């Protein structure tokens, strides 16, 4: 049985923990109305939040909901700034507890891992298996249908209760995640943690029951590598059965293909020898550059390019970046911005 963690609430409500939580919540939001309102009396706000949690009278506010449409339409929930501070304070204490029990094949929302780490590890695994087996390697690629909307709270709370016995901390977790129901809010910090925790069930099924180590999971996306095409088809059936009965999840799609055809994973098309950006990512980038440039929205263009180029630099994308740069200059010249 794993270690039980007690008396966590004192660490969560410690003044230094809340100060760090305040700083983390402020990143990228220093111009928001919520941050500015909080900052005006931040010391008093932090003291009140700590007091309310200690006295068990804290209640989160109503999140603001909006839609994003890329890469696909989905609703996002944005909690009030004060609640983001509380979630950072909570997760800074409990996230390491759950992360310690995660499998090394899990890369989502983990320090030192993330999307780029997962892509690099997947490619290295492809190369290593090709060298070891000396024959074609296949990839089983799966993802779940409506993953965050399908997380069963009863199943999730069994995982939480197995690790945390501090009743006060459980009470605080329940302010954001009830013990009953299905689904968690996309955009909430605790939801990112629970998405990673929930997936450990399929990780352990693969690693401990099926004795497979050649897989990578990033939240709801999974890639399993094997030299046997037929074994991966059989494995897919076992995975679907486990996910349906133990997790209440089902696959939205799956495929088995040779790795030399490339694996669409973590925003890249990953090959054993190189990585390319996904075609839909390139198409969206071209459209945004055209849209922002023609509208003269230079601030939005700068922010988009900073984020997108940070992602692109991890792929073999030099020619693509040069092509997009020429496209940008051509639009500017068309609008007589350049002499």
């Amino acid at each position: 049985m794993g270690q039980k963690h007690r008396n966590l609430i004192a660490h969560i409500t410690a003044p230094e923990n809340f100060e760090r939580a305040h700083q983390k919540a402020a990143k990228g939001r220093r111009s928001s109305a919520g941050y500015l309102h909080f900052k005006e009396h931040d010391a008093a706000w932090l003291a009140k939040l700590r007091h309310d949690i200690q006295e068990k009278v804290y209640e989160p506010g109503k999140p603001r909901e909006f839609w994003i449409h890329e890469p696909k339409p989905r609703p996002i929930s944005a909690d009030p700034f004060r609640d983001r501070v509380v979630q950072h304070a909570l997760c800074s204490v409990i996230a390491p507890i759950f992360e310690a029990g995660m499998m090394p094949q899990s890369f989502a929302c983990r320090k030192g891992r993330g999307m780029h780490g997962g892509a690099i590890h997947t490619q290295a695994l492809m190369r290593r298996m090709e060298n070891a087996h000396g024959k074609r390697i296949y990839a089983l690629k799966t993802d779940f249908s409506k993953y965050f909307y399908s997380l069963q709270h009863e199943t999730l709370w069994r995982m939480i209760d197995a690790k945390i016995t501090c009743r006060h901390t459980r009470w605080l977790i329940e302010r954001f995640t009830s013990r009953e129901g299905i689904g968690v809010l996309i955009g909430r910090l605790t939801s990112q943690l629970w998405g990673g925790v929930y997936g450990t069930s399929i990780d352990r099924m693969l690693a401990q029951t099926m004795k497979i180590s050649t897989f990578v999971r990033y939240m709801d996306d999974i890639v399993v590598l094997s030299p046997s095409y037929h074994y991966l088809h059989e494995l897919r059936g076992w995975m679907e059965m486990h996910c349906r009965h133990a997790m209440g999840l089902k696959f939205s799609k799956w495929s088995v293909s040779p790795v030399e055809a490339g694996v669409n994973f973590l925003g890249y098309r990953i090959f054993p020898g190189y990585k390319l950006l996904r075609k839909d990512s390139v198409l969206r980038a071209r459209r945004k550059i055209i849209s922002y440039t023609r509208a003269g929205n230079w601030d939005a263009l700068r922010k988009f390019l900073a984020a997108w180029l940070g992602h692109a630099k991890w792929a073999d994308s030099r020619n693509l970046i040069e092509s997009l740069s020429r496209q940008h200059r051509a639009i500017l010249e068309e609008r007589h911005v350049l002499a």
Side-chain angles (χ1 to χ4, degrees), residues 83-249:
D83 298 330
R84 291 186 59 83
V85 172
V86 173
Q87 289 175 61
H88 275 287
L90 171 64
C91 290
S92 68
V93 174
I94 67 171
I97 294 171
F98 290 102
E99 185 170 336
M102 291 182 181
M103 305 297 292
Q105 293 86 355
S106 173
F107 280 79
C109 304
R110 300 180 69 184
K111 189 175 181 179
R113 291 174 173 262
M115 291 182 64
H116 300 137
I120 291 170
H121 181 76
T122 302
Q123 186 179 54
L125 197 56
M126 290 178 177
R127 292 173 177 170
R128 187 161 65 246
M129 291 185 68
E130 283 190 332
N131 292 335
H133 294 278
K135 58 182 179 180
R136 174 172 283 179
I137 302 299
Y138 296 91
L140 167 62
K141 171 70 172 64
T142 74
D143 57 36
F144 295 103
S145 174
K146 300 180 179 178
Y147 180 68
F148 284 96
Y149 306 116
S150 303
L151 302 192
Q152 297 185 342
H153 291 200
E154 183 179 354
T155 301
L156 175 61
W157 268 97
R158 283 200 295 270
M159 298 176 177
I160 297 172
D161 288 338
K163 289 288 185 181
I164 296 177
T165 57
C166 175
R167 292 183 180 180
H168 203 142
T169 300
R170 288 177 177 177
W171 170 86
L172 182 57
I173 293 172
E174 286 187 71
R175 299 312 97 195
F176 300 103
T177 309
S178 65
R179 285 186 173 269
E180 298 179 351
I182 297 177
V184 294
L185 298 178
I186 297 178
R188 179 169 279 178
L189 189 63
T190 51
S191 298
Q192 295 180 15
L193 175 60
W194 302 141
V197 170
Y198 204 82
T200 58
S201 176
I202 188 66
D203 293 345
R204 296 191 181 282
M205 177 266 184
L206 289 170
Q208 298 175 356
T209 304
M210 306 304 294
K211 307 301 181 183
I212 298 171
S213 61
T214 54
F215 72 94
V216 180
R217 180 177 68 87
Y218 189 92
M219 204 62 77
D220 57 332
D221 287 348
I222 303 173
V223 169
V224 187
L225 302 179
S226 171
S228 173
Y229 177 86
H230 297 291
Y231 175 72
L232 288 180
H233 272 276
E234 181 181 350
L235 177 65
R236 187 268 308 171
W238 285 105
M239 289 173 65
E240 282 194 310
M241 183 168 63
H242 174 85
C243 293
R244 182 170 61 252
H245 293 293
M247 304 172 71
L249 302 175

